[in-house]
Amino acid sequence: MNMNVAPGRVEAETRNVRLIADCDIHPTPNTTRDLYPWLDQRWRTHIETFGALRRQGVQQGPAYPKSQPDAARRDAWPEGGRPGSRLDFMQKQHLDANRVALGVLTTISPHPGAYQNPEMSAAFCRAVNEWQKAEWTAKDTRLKGSILVPYEHGDLAAAEIAHWAGDEDFVQILLLSRTVEPMGQRRYWPLYQAAQEAKLPIGVHAFGNGAHPITSSGWPSFYIEEMTGHAQTCQSQITSLVLEGVFERFPGLRIVVIEGGFAWLPPLAWRLDTHWTKLRAETPHLKRKPSEYIRDHVWITTQPMEEPQSRQHILDIFEWIGWDRLLFASDYPHWDFDDPARCLPIAISEDQAQRFFLDNALKLYGVDPAKAAAATLAA
């Protein structure tokens, strides 16, 4: 298990031969005070006096703070800061070394989108978005932000999306996967309407707190149960989005499942199709098989990557999902980082690799390939 250690070695040597898009990079403020330039005095006083009321009972901090300090690689601690807190360190260790032409920022520590206080949730999401723009995307054009939204409050989330719509520094909207209710429910529909109007995909990243046990059968005993359980959460969310008719109502909606695994997707679709064939009278608002909505509306990032004993099985899974729906993600600077030079356990064609490592992400996020290449050369 990982340990909190002193600053480690920084790999500066360029190791990849191809340009890549990394769809899951985690920047982190060193402290909440880093967000103060974009917070009214009311919220500075509030956080120092009362703290933030999260939807996780009385627990203080993350569930496993000692076993996974900041969930970080042992060599990803910059001097004097938290992993992911310094751009120059990230550039040298990851962006330059791995030839990242597009890095999609996914800020999850903190992600205030589920704070119990609606106005506080909205204010802190705005502050994190301003911080991303000022401290990251404005200083390195390879990086693009994800808009954090107060996703448990649909109207406030829609307002935050409308505020940033059209800003080229942001390429998606970011939620965490453990929500108060299944994501297909109507309380979230204003968010989907706003995302569709802004033509931005919605990234659903593992983790978060919806005030419920983190497994469907209660609280687990071990960290490994939580890590494995992310796939269960993502399956529930995709099932809800399909069966509640969200994709029928919002045909332009695009969902990116981030850090939830992906080998579960084909059997989930098979099971949904089988049940829907027999029980479709219950959901007359669905016009097509569940698997068809999934294929049209769902993209997958590949960290963590399941590795079955037979390598052919993972190739079969990729083929079912579709080579146009797969996005490389490293999860930098976290401990389960996927190295782009070593992440694939199978041999694939040059065309498949080009789509997987770069082209799919550029197309999904609307980034011009020439601009991405120019940003890499300028770095």
Side-chain angles (χ1 to χ4, degrees):
M1 188 54 64
N2 208 358
M3 297 175 61
N4 190 345
V5 297
R9 178 171 56 91
V10 177
E11 295 183 10
E13 182 183 356
T14 297
R15 299 161 53 251
N16 273 348
V17 296
R18 68 172 70 249
L19 298 181
I20 68 168
D22 184 349
C23 299
D24 189 19
I25 296 177
H26 297 292
T28 306
N30 259 323
T31 74
T32 303
R33 288 180 177 274
D34 289 357
L35 305 177
Y36 277 14
W38 303 282
L39 284 171
D40 292 342
Q41 186 60 48
R42 171 194 175 184
W43 296 116
R44 300 181 194 177
T45 302
H46 187 109
I47 195 72
E48 292 178 0
T49 306
F50 303 104
L53 185 59
R54 298 178 173 85
R55 298 173 192 267
Q56 61 183 63
V58 297
Q59 187 178 17
Q60 178 68 35
Y64 302 96
K66 291 185 178 179
S67 62
Q68 45 98 321
D70 273 8
R73 283 168 45 169
R74 299 179 67 168
D75 64 345
W77 293 77
E79 187 171 4
R82 296 172 61 189
S85 65
R86 274 183 38 189
L87 175 61
D88 60 339
F89 189 92
M90 179 189 293
Q91 288 170 326
K92 191 172 183 180
Q93 186 175 51
H94 181 46
L95 302 182
D96 298 344
N98 290 312
R99 303 197 73 195
V100 177
L102 168 63
V104 181
L105 301 176
T106 49
T107 306
I108 63 170
S109 180
H111 191 317
Y115 283 2
Q116 190 76 32
N117 182 323
E119 285 73 28
M120 185 178 189
S121 178
F124 271 75
C125 283
R126 174 66 60 84
V128 174
N129 294 331
E130 295 280 9
W131 169 80
Q132 288 184 81
K133 187 176 177 71
E135 299 298 332
W136 298 89
T137 62
K139 295 179 178 177
D140 191 321
T141 57
R142 292 173 293 183
L143 297 175
K144 299 293 182 182
S146 299
I147 304 171
L148 271 62
V149 296
Y151 50 85
E152 297 298 349
H153 313 284
D155 55 339
L156 296 177
E160 189 64 17
I161 295 168
H163 177 82
W164 295 104
D167 189 320
E168 292 187 356
D169 280 351
F170 292 91
V171 294
Q172 76 176 349
I173 299 150
L174 187 67
L175 283 61
L176 298 181
S177 62
R178 296 193 193 113
T179 49
V180 170
E181 294 183 278
M183 282 180 56
Q185 308 255 332
R186 291 172 184 254
R187 63 185 292 160
Y188 304 107
W189 288 10
L191 193 165
Y192 304 145
Q193 179 68 44
Q196 181 172 261
E197 291 173 359
K199 297 181 172 56
L200 289 171
I202 296 176
V204 182
H205 192 287
F207 293 99
N209 299 98
H212 312 296
I214 60 175
T215 78
S216 58
S217 54
W219 292 99
S221 301
F222 304 106
Y223 178 48
I224 192 172
E225 292 182 84
E226 175 170 16
M227 295 299 292
T228 306
H230 292 315
Q232 300 162 9
T233 304
C234 292
Q235 290 181 64
S236 297
Q237 300 292 26
I238 294 298
T239 299
S240 176
L241 288 165
V242 170
L243 296 183
E244 294 282 356
V246 169
F247 297 132
E248 191 64 43
R249 178 174 288 271
F250 305 103
L253 196 62
R254 294 167 292 168
I255 299 292
V256 184
V257 177
I258 305 172
E259 206 172 332
F262 54 86
W264 46 265
L265 190 57
L268 174 69
W270 299 335
R271 176 168 291 198
L272 284 170
D273 282 357
T274 299
H275 290 322
W276 184 77
T277 301
K278 299 170 183 174
L279 303 171
R280 59 190 299 177
E282 187 184 22
T283 55
H285 48 277
L286 299 185
K287 310 303 182 188
R288 299 185 290 157
K289 291 181 180 178
S291 62
E292 294 178 26
Y293 291 108
I294 290 172
R295 286 179 185 274
D296 286 349
H297 293 273
V298 176
W299 279 253
I300 297 289
T301 64
T302 56
Q303 192 285 325
M305 186 179 299
E306 290 92 345
E307 297 188 29
Q309 192 167 23
S310 169
R311 298 311 196 205
Q312 181 61 42
H313 291 168
I314 198 167
L315 188 60
D316 292 341
I317 293 166
F318 279 176
E319 295 285 355
W320 189 95
I321 293 173
W323 285 99
D324 61 339
R325 290 296 188 268
L326 297 165
L327 306 168
F328 170 74
S330 74
D331 197 26
Y332 180 88
H334 290 170
W335 66 266
D336 43 355
F337 170 84
D338 262 2
D339 184 335
R342 301 184 178 91
C343 69
L344 283 176
I346 53 175
I348 61 176
S349 70
E350 176 56 32
D351 176 67
Q352 290 166 336
Q354 181 66 22
R355 286 193 277 174
F356 169 67
F357 279 110
L358 184 64
D359 291 354
N360 290 344
L362 296 180
K363 182 177 180 181
L364 174 68
Y365 293 119
V367 176
D368 183 272
K371 288 185 178 179
T376 307
L377 292 173

